[in-house]
Amino acid sequence: MVIWNPNKECMSRDEMSALQGKRLHKIVEYVYHNVPFYRHRLQEMDITPDDIQTIDDIRKLPFTTKKDLRDNYPFGLQAAPQSQIIRIHASSGTTGNPTIVGYTRKDIGIWSECMARCLTAYGVTHDDIFSVSYGYGLFTGGLGAHNGVEKIGASVVPTSTGNTEKHVKLIRDLGITGIACTPSYALYLAETMDKMGITKDEISLKIGAFGAEPWTEQMRTEIQERLGLKGYNLYGLSEIMGPSVSYECQEQHGSHICEDHFYPEIIDPVTLEPLPNGQTGELVFTTLTKEGMPVLRYRTRDLCTLLPDTCACGRTNIRMGRIEGRSDDMLIIRGINVFPSQVESVVLSMKEFAPRYLLIVDRKNNLDTLTVQVEIRQEYFTSTFDTPAAIDELEKRLASRLKSVLSIAAKVQLKAPNTIERSQGKSAHVIDNRKL
């Protein structure tokens, strides 16, 4: 079994802890002197970099949240000077402001290194032809996977998303052996193959790197059977790096974390106290080597466990289990983070609508769908929008604004006043019909 970097992926626990402690002290010193936000936060807690000497001292440090990133938009948490930032990615936030993440040349190199570990664990070699079918652009998926494929010397085909029939043709004609995409898109590829009359025996796919959205073991089984490959989980988030933070090996039992670069913790999301390995809680990451935008104890809101037992593959890096849910209300739809508060901000910006809305998420033909139901205010419903043409025009306007904010298309259904179900308790704004 090939391991890309055995010196780092197979370190003893003592060696790894010692390395993490040294890197933690260095990164705390770095942000203390280069990020006013962290310096002020640490000073408020009466902590200096000299107080952080071992990895166990991480518990002394403050947490970082999505709100902190949003409040410091766009470059408030950037540690490196702009002259050293060679790439900027962005992810959606809970308001109109995205999360801006800058990368130095060293960051891009580490990202490529970690992605190479992932792909090698899946069995990818320089002899493979690999299709990257995540979106390219501000989303980290496309370029993140792309750089890793090139790092190990395989041939990359930057297919991105869309034009699926052409993609299927390329998979067949080029003899593509690996693919990186969302699991729902992998099933959509399988359906497109069926419509085109192409069977899995006519293609050469053998490896799939699937991430950016939740998926089940049942979905994995279906993908593997229909495409004739072996599917592996790929985890990442732009605030930490992008795809490659953790990865499954061929054992397919938990995802190995690149913990020499990203230190994981599991905390109780209510008390914020650390939990022992094996217990389910909120996943927290500290970037140990990142230069552009390092983060201390970033609360991912993902709920999972850290697996303490050893892996038969030979890697000693700790593994994380499947994501079991979220400690907040964020939805992941077709690989995009969607918050109900984003929808609310759009609805409330348009005078025609009452503050009553409902998000209905479903999975049809193996692709996620989003329907947004919104009530029209009584005064507009009875006067201005009393014809089908007027309703249709308003639906289109709302759909356009939602797409601009959410970065995905949503079907809009306008409702008559007082027709969306009320609750005497906390209002339920989301119905998720996906079986995740």
Short mmCIF file of all heavy atoms in Angstrom, two decimals, residues 188-233:
data_model
loop_
_atom_site.label_atom_id
_atom_site.label_comp_id
_atom_site.label_asym_id
_atom_site.label_seq_id
_atom_site.Cartn_x
_atom_site.Cartn_y
_atom_site.Cartn_z
N TYR A 188 -25.83 11.51 -10.75
CA TYR A 188 -26.38 12.14 -11.95
C TYR A 188 -25.60 11.72 -13.19
O TYR A 188 -26.19 11.50 -14.27
CB TYR A 188 -26.35 13.66 -11.79
CG TYR A 188 -27.01 14.41 -12.92
CD1 TYR A 188 -28.39 14.31 -13.12
CD2 TYR A 188 -26.28 15.21 -13.77
CE1 TYR A 188 -29.02 14.99 -14.15
CE2 TYR A 188 -26.89 15.90 -14.81
CZ TYR A 188 -28.25 15.80 -14.98
OH TYR A 188 -28.87 16.47 -16.01
N LEU A 189 -24.30 11.56 -13.05
CA LEU A 189 -23.49 11.03 -14.15
C LEU A 189 -23.97 9.64 -14.54
O LEU A 189 -24.08 9.32 -15.73
CB LEU A 189 -22.01 10.96 -13.74
CG LEU A 189 -21.14 12.20 -13.91
CD1 LEU A 189 -19.78 11.94 -13.29
CD2 LEU A 189 -20.99 12.56 -15.38
N ALA A 190 -24.25 8.82 -13.52
CA ALA A 190 -24.71 7.46 -13.79
C ALA A 190 -26.04 7.48 -14.54
O ALA A 190 -26.25 6.69 -15.48
CB ALA A 190 -24.85 6.68 -12.48
N GLU A 191 -26.93 8.37 -14.15
CA GLU A 191 -28.22 8.47 -14.84
C GLU A 191 -28.03 8.95 -16.28
O GLU A 191 -28.72 8.48 -17.20
CB GLU A 191 -29.14 9.43 -14.08
CG GLU A 191 -29.58 8.90 -12.72
CD GLU A 191 -30.45 9.89 -11.98
OE1 GLU A 191 -30.52 11.06 -12.42
OE2 GLU A 191 -31.06 9.49 -10.98
N THR A 192 -27.13 9.89 -16.47
CA THR A 192 -26.86 10.39 -17.82
C THR A 192 -26.28 9.28 -18.69
O THR A 192 -26.62 9.16 -19.88
CB THR A 192 -25.91 11.59 -17.76
OG1 THR A 192 -26.47 12.61 -16.93
CG2 THR A 192 -25.67 12.16 -19.15
N MET A 193 -25.41 8.46 -18.11
CA MET A 193 -24.87 7.32 -18.85
C MET A 193 -25.99 6.39 -19.30
O MET A 193 -26.00 5.90 -20.44
CB MET A 193 -23.87 6.55 -17.97
CG MET A 193 -22.52 7.23 -17.83
SD MET A 193 -21.45 6.42 -16.61
CE MET A 193 -21.45 4.72 -17.22
N ASP A 194 -26.94 6.14 -18.40
CA ASP A 194 -28.07 5.27 -18.74
C ASP A 194 -28.84 5.84 -19.94
O ASP A 194 -29.20 5.10 -20.87
CB ASP A 194 -29.01 5.12 -17.54
CG ASP A 194 -28.38 4.32 -16.41
OD1 ASP A 194 -27.38 3.61 -16.67
OD2 ASP A 194 -28.88 4.40 -15.28
N LYS A 195 -29.09 7.15 -19.92
CA LYS A 195 -29.84 7.78 -21.00
C LYS A 195 -29.08 7.72 -22.32
O LYS A 195 -29.67 7.65 -23.39
CB LYS A 195 -30.14 9.23 -20.64
CG LYS A 195 -31.12 9.39 -19.48
CD LYS A 195 -31.31 10.86 -19.13
CE LYS A 195 -32.24 11.02 -17.95
NZ LYS A 195 -32.39 12.44 -17.53
N MET A 196 -27.74 7.75 -22.22
CA MET A 196 -26.91 7.72 -23.42
C MET A 196 -26.62 6.29 -23.89
O MET A 196 -25.98 6.09 -24.92
CB MET A 196 -25.59 8.45 -23.16
CG MET A 196 -25.75 9.94 -22.89
SD MET A 196 -24.19 10.75 -22.37
CE MET A 196 -23.20 10.59 -23.87
N GLY A 197 -27.08 5.32 -23.11
CA GLY A 197 -26.85 3.93 -23.48
C GLY A 197 -25.43 3.46 -23.24
O GLY A 197 -24.96 2.52 -23.89
N ILE A 198 -24.73 4.10 -22.31
CA ILE A 198 -23.36 3.73 -21.98
C ILE A 198 -23.34 2.98 -20.66
O ILE A 198 -23.90 3.45 -19.66
CB ILE A 198 -22.46 4.99 -21.90
CG1 ILE A 198 -22.40 5.68 -23.26
CG2 ILE A 198 -21.04 4.63 -21.42
CD1 ILE A 198 -21.65 7.00 -23.24
N THR A 199 -22.71 1.83 -20.63
CA THR A 199 -22.67 1.02 -19.42
C THR A 199 -21.34 1.23 -18.70
O THR A 199 -20.36 1.72 -19.27
CB THR A 199 -22.83 -0.47 -19.75
OG1 THR A 199 -21.66 -0.93 -20.44
CG2 THR A 199 -24.06 -0.71 -20.62
N LYS A 200 -21.29 0.81 -17.44
CA LYS A 200 -20.06 0.96 -16.67
C LYS A 200 -18.93 0.10 -17.23
O LYS A 200 -17.76 0.38 -16.98
CB LYS A 200 -20.31 0.60 -15.20
CG LYS A 200 -20.68 -0.85 -14.94
CD LYS A 200 -20.92 -1.07 -13.45
CE LYS A 200 -21.30 -2.52 -13.16
NZ LYS A 200 -21.57 -2.74 -11.71
N ASP A 201 -19.27 -0.92 -18.02
CA ASP A 201 -18.23 -1.75 -18.63
C ASP A 201 -17.52 -1.03 -19.77
O ASP A 201 -16.44 -1.47 -20.21
CB ASP A 201 -18.85 -3.05 -19.16
CG ASP A 201 -19.40 -3.92 -18.04
OD1 ASP A 201 -18.85 -3.86 -16.93
OD2 ASP A 201 -20.39 -4.65 -18.28
N GLU A 202 -18.11 0.07 -20.26
CA GLU A 202 -17.51 0.82 -21.36
C GLU A 202 -16.61 1.95 -20.87
O GLU A 202 -16.00 2.65 -21.67
CB GLU A 202 -18.61 1.40 -22.25
CG GLU A 202 -19.48 0.36 -22.94
CD GLU A 202 -20.59 1.00 -23.73
OE1 GLU A 202 -20.27 1.73 -24.71
OE2 GLU A 202 -21.78 0.81 -23.39
N ILE A 203 -16.55 2.16 -19.55
CA ILE A 203 -15.72 3.23 -19.01
C ILE A 203 -14.65 2.64 -18.10
O ILE A 203 -14.71 1.46 -17.75
CB ILE A 203 -16.55 4.29 -18.25
CG1 ILE A 203 -17.22 3.64 -17.02
CG2 ILE A 203 -17.58 4.91 -19.17
CD1 ILE A 203 -17.95 4.64 -16.14
N SER A 204 -13.69 3.47 -17.70
CA SER A 204 -12.54 2.99 -16.94
C SER A 204 -12.46 3.54 -15.53
O SER A 204 -11.44 3.40 -14.85
CB SER A 204 -11.25 3.35 -17.69
OG SER A 204 -11.26 2.84 -19.01
N LEU A 205 -13.54 4.20 -15.06
CA LEU A 205 -13.51 4.78 -13.73
C LEU A 205 -13.25 3.70 -12.67
O LEU A 205 -13.87 2.64 -12.69
CB LEU A 205 -14.83 5.48 -13.42
CG LEU A 205 -15.06 6.85 -14.04
CD1 LEU A 205 -16.44 7.37 -13.67
CD2 LEU A 205 -14.00 7.85 -13.60
N LYS A 206 -12.35 4.02 -11.74
CA LYS A 206 -12.07 3.08 -10.65
C LYS A 206 -11.99 3.77 -9.29
O LYS A 206 -12.10 3.13 -8.25
CB LYS A 206 -10.76 2.33 -10.91
CG LYS A 206 -9.53 3.23 -11.02
CD LYS A 206 -8.26 2.42 -11.28
CE LYS A 206 -7.03 3.34 -11.35
NZ LYS A 206 -5.77 2.60 -11.56
N ILE A 207 -11.82 5.11 -9.29
CA ILE A 207 -11.65 5.85 -8.03
C ILE A 207 -12.52 7.10 -8.07
O ILE A 207 -12.53 7.85 -9.05
CB ILE A 207 -10.17 6.26 -7.84
CG1 ILE A 207 -9.29 5.03 -7.66
CG2 ILE A 207 -10.01 7.21 -6.64
CD1 ILE A 207 -7.81 5.32 -7.75
N GLY A 208 -13.25 7.33 -6.97
CA GLY A 208 -14.04 8.55 -6.84
C GLY A 208 -13.72 9.25 -5.53
O GLY A 208 -13.71 8.62 -4.47
N ALA A 209 -13.44 10.56 -5.60
CA ALA A 209 -13.20 11.39 -4.41
C ALA A 209 -14.43 12.27 -4.22
O ALA A 209 -14.62 13.24 -4.97
CB ALA A 209 -11.95 12.23 -4.59
N PHE A 210 -15.27 11.94 -3.25
CA PHE A 210 -16.57 12.59 -3.12
C PHE A 210 -16.65 13.40 -1.83
O PHE A 210 -16.32 12.91 -0.75
CB PHE A 210 -17.68 11.54 -3.16
CG PHE A 210 -17.66 10.69 -4.40
CD1 PHE A 210 -17.65 9.31 -4.32
CD2 PHE A 210 -17.63 11.27 -5.66
CE1 PHE A 210 -17.63 8.52 -5.45
CE2 PHE A 210 -17.60 10.50 -6.80
CZ PHE A 210 -17.60 9.11 -6.71
N GLY A 211 -17.11 14.63 -1.95
CA GLY A 211 -17.24 15.49 -0.79
C GLY A 211 -18.10 16.69 -1.09
O GLY A 211 -18.82 16.72 -2.08
N ALA A 212 -18.05 17.69 -0.21
CA ALA A 212 -18.76 18.97 -0.33
C ALA A 212 -20.23 18.88 0.03
O ALA A 212 -20.92 19.89 0.03
CB ALA A 212 -18.60 19.59 -1.73
N GLU A 213 -20.74 17.69 0.35
CA GLU A 213 -22.11 17.54 0.80
C GLU A 213 -22.23 16.24 1.58
O GLU A 213 -21.43 15.31 1.39
CB GLU A 213 -23.09 17.55 -0.38
CG GLU A 213 -22.97 16.35 -1.29
CD GLU A 213 -23.91 16.42 -2.50
OE1 GLU A 213 -24.46 17.51 -2.76
OE2 GLU A 213 -24.09 15.40 -3.17
N PRO A 214 -23.22 16.13 2.47
CA PRO A 214 -23.40 14.89 3.21
C PRO A 214 -23.82 13.76 2.29
O PRO A 214 -24.54 13.97 1.31
CB PRO A 214 -24.53 15.23 4.21
CG PRO A 214 -24.63 16.72 4.20
CD PRO A 214 -24.19 17.17 2.86
N TRP A 215 -23.40 12.52 2.61
CA TRP A 215 -23.85 11.35 1.86
C TRP A 215 -23.80 10.14 2.77
O TRP A 215 -23.06 10.10 3.75
CB TRP A 215 -23.06 11.17 0.58
CG TRP A 215 -21.56 10.99 0.71
CD1 TRP A 215 -20.69 11.77 1.41
CD2 TRP A 215 -20.77 9.98 0.08
NE1 TRP A 215 -19.40 11.31 1.25
CE2 TRP A 215 -19.42 10.22 0.45
CE3 TRP A 215 -21.05 8.91 -0.77
CZ2 TRP A 215 -18.36 9.43 0.01
CZ3 TRP A 215 -20.00 8.13 -1.21
CH2 TRP A 215 -18.68 8.37 -0.82
N THR A 216 -24.60 9.17 2.43
CA THR A 216 -24.75 7.99 3.28
C THR A 216 -23.99 6.81 2.71
O THR A 216 -23.54 6.82 1.56
CB THR A 216 -26.23 7.61 3.38
OG1 THR A 216 -26.72 7.30 2.06
CG2 THR A 216 -27.06 8.76 3.94
N GLU A 217 -23.88 5.77 3.53
CA GLU A 217 -23.27 4.53 3.05
C GLU A 217 -24.09 3.90 1.94
O GLU A 217 -23.56 3.30 1.01
CB GLU A 217 -23.11 3.53 4.21
CG GLU A 217 -21.95 3.84 5.13
CD GLU A 217 -20.60 3.79 4.42
OE1 GLU A 217 -20.40 2.89 3.57
OE2 GLU A 217 -19.76 4.65 4.70
N GLN A 218 -25.42 4.06 2.02
CA GLN A 218 -26.29 3.54 0.96
C GLN A 218 -26.01 4.25 -0.36
O GLN A 218 -25.99 3.62 -1.43
CB GLN A 218 -27.77 3.72 1.35
CG GLN A 218 -28.23 2.87 2.52
CD GLN A 218 -27.82 3.43 3.88
OE1 GLN A 218 -27.26 4.51 3.98
NE2 GLN A 218 -28.11 2.67 4.93
N MET A 219 -25.76 5.54 -0.28
CA MET A 219 -25.45 6.30 -1.49
C MET A 219 -24.08 5.87 -2.04
O MET A 219 -23.90 5.75 -3.26
CB MET A 219 -25.45 7.80 -1.18
CG MET A 219 -25.53 8.69 -2.40
SD MET A 219 -25.82 10.40 -1.89
CE MET A 219 -25.98 11.20 -3.50
N ARG A 220 -23.14 5.61 -1.14
CA ARG A 220 -21.84 5.14 -1.57
C ARG A 220 -21.97 3.83 -2.33
O ARG A 220 -21.38 3.64 -3.40
CB ARG A 220 -20.90 4.95 -0.37
CG ARG A 220 -19.44 4.67 -0.82
CD ARG A 220 -18.67 3.82 0.19
NE ARG A 220 -18.52 4.35 1.50
CZ ARG A 220 -17.45 4.98 1.99
NH1 ARG A 220 -16.41 5.19 1.21
NH2 ARG A 220 -17.42 5.39 3.25
N THR A 221 -22.76 2.92 -1.77
CA THR A 221 -22.94 1.62 -2.40
C THR A 221 -23.54 1.75 -3.79
O THR A 221 -23.08 1.11 -4.76
CB THR A 221 -23.85 0.72 -1.53
OG1 THR A 221 -23.22 0.52 -0.26
CG2 THR A 221 -24.10 -0.62 -2.20
N GLU A 222 -24.54 2.63 -3.92
CA GLU A 222 -25.18 2.81 -5.23
C GLU A 222 -24.21 3.41 -6.24
O GLU A 222 -24.15 2.98 -7.40
CB GLU A 222 -26.42 3.70 -5.10
CG GLU A 222 -27.18 3.84 -6.41
CD GLU A 222 -28.47 4.60 -6.27
OE1 GLU A 222 -28.88 4.90 -5.13
OE2 GLU A 222 -29.08 4.91 -7.31
N ILE A 223 -23.44 4.41 -5.82
CA ILE A 223 -22.46 5.03 -6.72
C ILE A 223 -21.45 3.99 -7.19
O ILE A 223 -21.13 3.90 -8.38
CB ILE A 223 -21.73 6.19 -6.01
CG1 ILE A 223 -22.69 7.35 -5.78
CG2 ILE A 223 -20.53 6.66 -6.85
CD1 ILE A 223 -22.12 8.45 -4.90
N GLN A 224 -20.94 3.21 -6.25
CA GLN A 224 -19.92 2.22 -6.59
C GLN A 224 -20.47 1.18 -7.56
O GLN A 224 -19.78 0.78 -8.51
CB GLN A 224 -19.39 1.55 -5.31
CG GLN A 224 -18.60 2.51 -4.44
CD GLN A 224 -18.00 1.87 -3.19
OE1 GLN A 224 -17.00 2.32 -2.68
NE2 GLN A 224 -18.61 0.81 -2.71
N GLU A 225 -21.69 0.75 -7.33
CA GLU A 225 -22.28 -0.27 -8.21
C GLU A 225 -22.58 0.28 -9.59
O GLU A 225 -22.35 -0.40 -10.60
CB GLU A 225 -23.56 -0.82 -7.57
CG GLU A 225 -23.30 -1.69 -6.33
CD GLU A 225 -24.58 -2.17 -5.69
OE1 GLU A 225 -25.67 -1.67 -6.09
OE2 GLU A 225 -24.51 -3.02 -4.78
N ARG A 226 -23.05 1.52 -9.67
CA ARG A 226 -23.48 2.05 -10.96
C ARG A 226 -22.33 2.57 -11.81
O ARG A 226 -22.41 2.55 -13.05
CB ARG A 226 -24.53 3.15 -10.75
CG ARG A 226 -25.80 2.64 -10.11
CD ARG A 226 -26.85 3.70 -9.97
NE ARG A 226 -27.37 4.13 -11.27
CZ ARG A 226 -28.35 5.02 -11.41
NH1 ARG A 226 -28.92 5.54 -10.33
NH2 ARG A 226 -28.76 5.38 -12.61
N LEU A 227 -21.26 3.03 -11.16
CA LEU A 227 -20.13 3.55 -11.92
C LEU A 227 -18.95 2.59 -11.95
O LEU A 227 -17.97 2.83 -12.67
CB LEU A 227 -19.68 4.90 -11.35
CG LEU A 227 -20.65 6.07 -11.52
CD1 LEU A 227 -20.09 7.33 -10.89
CD2 LEU A 227 -20.97 6.32 -13.00
N GLY A 228 -19.02 1.52 -11.19
CA GLY A 228 -17.95 0.53 -11.21
C GLY A 228 -16.65 1.00 -10.59
O GLY A 228 -15.57 0.56 -10.99
N LEU A 229 -16.74 1.90 -9.61
CA LEU A 229 -15.54 2.43 -8.96
C LEU A 229 -15.63 2.21 -7.46
O LEU A 229 -16.60 1.66 -6.95
CB LEU A 229 -15.38 3.93 -9.27
CG LEU A 229 -16.59 4.87 -9.07
CD1 LEU A 229 -16.95 5.07 -7.61
CD2 LEU A 229 -16.31 6.22 -9.71
N LYS A 230 -14.60 2.66 -6.75
CA LYS A 230 -14.61 2.68 -5.30
C LYS A 230 -14.65 4.13 -4.85
O LYS A 230 -13.82 4.93 -5.29
CB LYS A 230 -13.38 1.95 -4.74
CG LYS A 230 -13.47 1.65 -3.24
CD LYS A 230 -12.36 0.70 -2.79
CE LYS A 230 -12.51 0.35 -1.31
NZ LYS A 230 -11.46 -0.59 -0.85
N GLY A 231 -15.63 4.49 -4.03
CA GLY A 231 -15.83 5.88 -3.65
C GLY A 231 -15.29 6.20 -2.27
O GLY A 231 -15.52 5.44 -1.31
N TYR A 232 -14.57 7.31 -2.17
CA TYR A 232 -13.93 7.71 -0.92
C TYR A 232 -14.42 9.09 -0.46
O TYR A 232 -14.68 9.96 -1.28
CB TYR A 232 -12.41 7.76 -1.09
CG TYR A 232 -11.79 6.44 -1.48
CD1 TYR A 232 -11.60 6.12 -2.82
CD2 TYR A 232 -11.42 5.51 -0.52
CE1 TYR A 232 -11.03 4.91 -3.19
CE2 TYR A 232 -10.85 4.29 -0.88
CZ TYR A 232 -10.66 4.00 -2.22
OH TYR A 232 -10.10 2.80 -2.58
N ASN A 233 -14.48 9.24 0.85
CA ASN A 233 -14.90 10.52 1.41
C ASN A 233 -13.73 11.50 1.40
O ASN A 233 -12.59 11.14 1.69
CB ASN A 233 -15.40 10.32 2.84
CG ASN A 233 -16.24 11.50 3.31
OD1 ASN A 233 -17.09 12.00 2.59
ND2 ASN A 233 -16.00 11.96 4.52
#
